[in-house]
Amino acid sequence: MRHRTLSAAAIGTGILLAGCTATPPPSPTATFPAPSSSAPVTSAPAASTASPARTTPATIAGTPQPVATGLAAPWSVVFRDGTPLVSERNSARILELAPDGSARPIGTVEGVVGRGESGLLGLAVGGGGDLYVYSTASDGNRVQRFAVTGTPGSLSLGQPDTLLAGIPAASTHDGGRIAFGPDGMLYVTAGDAQQRNSAQERDSLAGKILRMTPEGEVPADNPFPGSLTYSYGHRNPQGLAWAEDGTLFATEFGQNTWDELNVIRPGANYGWPTVEGIAGREGFVDPVQQWQPGTASPSGMAHAGGTLFIANLRGQVLRSVPVSDPTTFTDHYSREYGRIRDVALSPDGQLWFMTNNTDGRGDPQPGDDRILAVPLS
């Protein structure tokens, strides 16, 4: 398959012109204030589809049931034609889950370097069924596209097509979430990779939310001509979700004071490292909600029926936030399942959430790591 690398240097040029791997285990209609930013801000891309506004946000309506157990530091779960695919951070394997909960690898992503928070991270499924993968290599983070062949139960990962390479990487603040928006573009979260000031430097890929075409090109309507940068001033964004009206939300790990839930506007500056949390500073966009890191550390996020569901690591809680009032929240399963890394809406409308207790920072219980499913009403 074609292999094309878009280096960080090349990306930087466009912007300037514009102004230790573990041994694999056995298989087992809200209104928000406009941002006060000194950066040029363009209109958000329109959603390709729009669902009718809901008067009552979706809520959890049942007891979680295990979908899969015995996973090793899983990081992301997505659905391809109804089949769940899971990334394991340290083993660099991508697994497919069978209806009985068993897991089999469809392939291993080559060249992954897993140190601390880096490794094999986010997954996204393209419109044609290709799998998009964010992972850490020896020279930085990268976004790759893989063809997937076969049928459920015998899927296989093809050869990589590298769309973007050289995203700064580190053992912490490594970002890693990727997701397709309703506009058909691929959004990528990049942490500051322990280079705090790079988050404010638009010629760096660190501390950003990036936006690209499915082929890895710069969209013509990105806020900074020739640049993949969609928003900047981020420390470590890790969750992306779109409301029914096309509003983009992102979760973000703070330093020691505040974790954040942000409404993302194209071209806006979210303040890191100058500010953290709600600061009211001219030129920076405040989060719509903040939490102390000990009760949060928000990672993956999903939207369902007017509600944002947020996975939290240190807080060990699944948190729901109504889109109609994103300054409020409700906690679910506090400390019941340990660290929660990702959350996704399954094809049958259930909410799936993934624990992350075997990554070296948790307290694994029998069956960890696991994916659980709960009905919504």
Side-chain angles (χ1 to χ4, degrees):
M1 179 177 286
R2 174 177 63 94
H3 180 101
R4 180 172 60 82
T5 299
L6 188 58
S7 69
I11 298 298
T13 300
I15 296 170
L16 289 173
L17 289 173
C20 339
T21 306
T23 302
S27 296
T29 311
T31 301
F32 304 99
S36 57
S37 173
S38 57
V41 179
T42 65
S43 299
S48 57
T49 60
S51 301
R54 295 175 182 263
T55 57
T56 303
T59 59
I60 288 172
T63 301
Q65 299 296 323
V67 172
T69 60
L71 303 174
W75 209 92
S76 179
V77 57
V78 295
F79 298 89
R80 181 185 182 273
D81 294 334
T83 298
L85 301 178
V86 176
S87 62
E88 288 188 329
R89 190 187 68 188
N90 298 332
S91 72
R93 299 188 309 172
I94 296 175
L95 311 176
E96 68 166 314
L97 303 183
D100 65 0
S102 61
R104 64 171 291 273
I106 69 169
T108 300
V109 179
E110 298 296 330
V112 171
V113 177
R115 296 183 299 109
E117 297 174 2
S118 65
L120 176 60
L121 304 178
L123 304 177
V125 178
D130 287 345
L131 187 65
Y132 290 71
V133 178
Y134 184 113
S135 66
T136 311
S138 59
D139 58 350
N141 291 315
R142 61 196 177 178
V143 177
Q144 296 177 299
R145 178 174 57 188
F146 295 81
V148 179
T149 59
T151 58
S154 60
L155 296 179
S156 180
L157 197 67
Q159 293 301 305
D161 177 12
T162 300
L163 304 179
L164 176 65
I167 303 171
S171 59
T172 60
H173 314 184
D174 203 48
R177 193 70 57 189
I178 59 176
F180 279 95
D183 55 3
M185 298 297 152
L186 183 66
Y187 292 73
V188 178
T189 71
D192 71 5
Q194 304 175 21
Q195 304 169 30
R196 297 162 58 106
N197 293 334
S198 65
Q200 288 295 318
E201 298 169 357
R202 297 210 311 266
D203 60 345
S204 169
L205 294 176
K208 309 294 187 296
I209 294 178
L210 309 173
R211 178 175 181 258
M212 65 179 69
T213 70
E215 292 73 38
E217 304 293 342
V218 178
D221 59 348
N222 266 12
F224 307 107
S227 171
L228 292 176
T229 295
Y230 191 69
S231 62
Y232 64 108
H234 298 288
R235 180 181 178 272
N236 191 16
Q238 281 207 359
L240 296 170
W242 286 262
E244 292 170 342
D245 64 357
T247 299
L248 171 57
F249 289 85
T251 61
E252 183 162 340
F253 289 109
Q255 180 68 35
N256 298 312
T257 308
W258 297 114
D259 292 338
E260 301 178 356
L261 175 65
N262 288 296
V263 171
I264 302 301
R265 304 299 191 196
N269 184 347
Y270 289 81
W272 176 257
T274 306
V275 299
E276 181 180 351
I278 298 171
R281 291 275 300 273
E282 181 67 27
F284 303 128
V285 178
D286 282 341
V288 292
Q289 188 163 179
Q290 62 187 20
W291 302 277
Q292 294 179 339
T295 66
S297 298
S299 186
M301 177 169 55
H303 172 267
T307 300
L308 301 169
F309 294 94
I310 303 172
N312 290 271
L313 292 162
R314 287 181 62 189
Q316 299 186 25
V317 65
L318 179 65
R319 184 162 286 154
S320 60
V321 175
V323 171
S324 59
D325 186 2
T327 65
T328 65
F329 68 91
T330 302
D331 284 345
H332 311 271
Y333 318 123
S334 179
R335 306 279 168 180
E336 290 187 36
Y337 298 104
R339 293 160 56 83
I340 303 178
R341 170 64 73 179
D342 197 18
V343 59
L345 188 66
S346 69
D348 65 358
Q350 294 195 91
L351 193 71
W352 285 26
F353 62 96
M354 169 193 292
T355 70
N356 216 185
N357 296 315
T358 63
D359 67 349
R361 296 184 178 183
D363 182 16
Q365 302 298 313
D368 278 336
D369 272 321
R370 67 191 74 188
I371 295 175
L372 300 109
V374 63
L376 297 176
S377 65

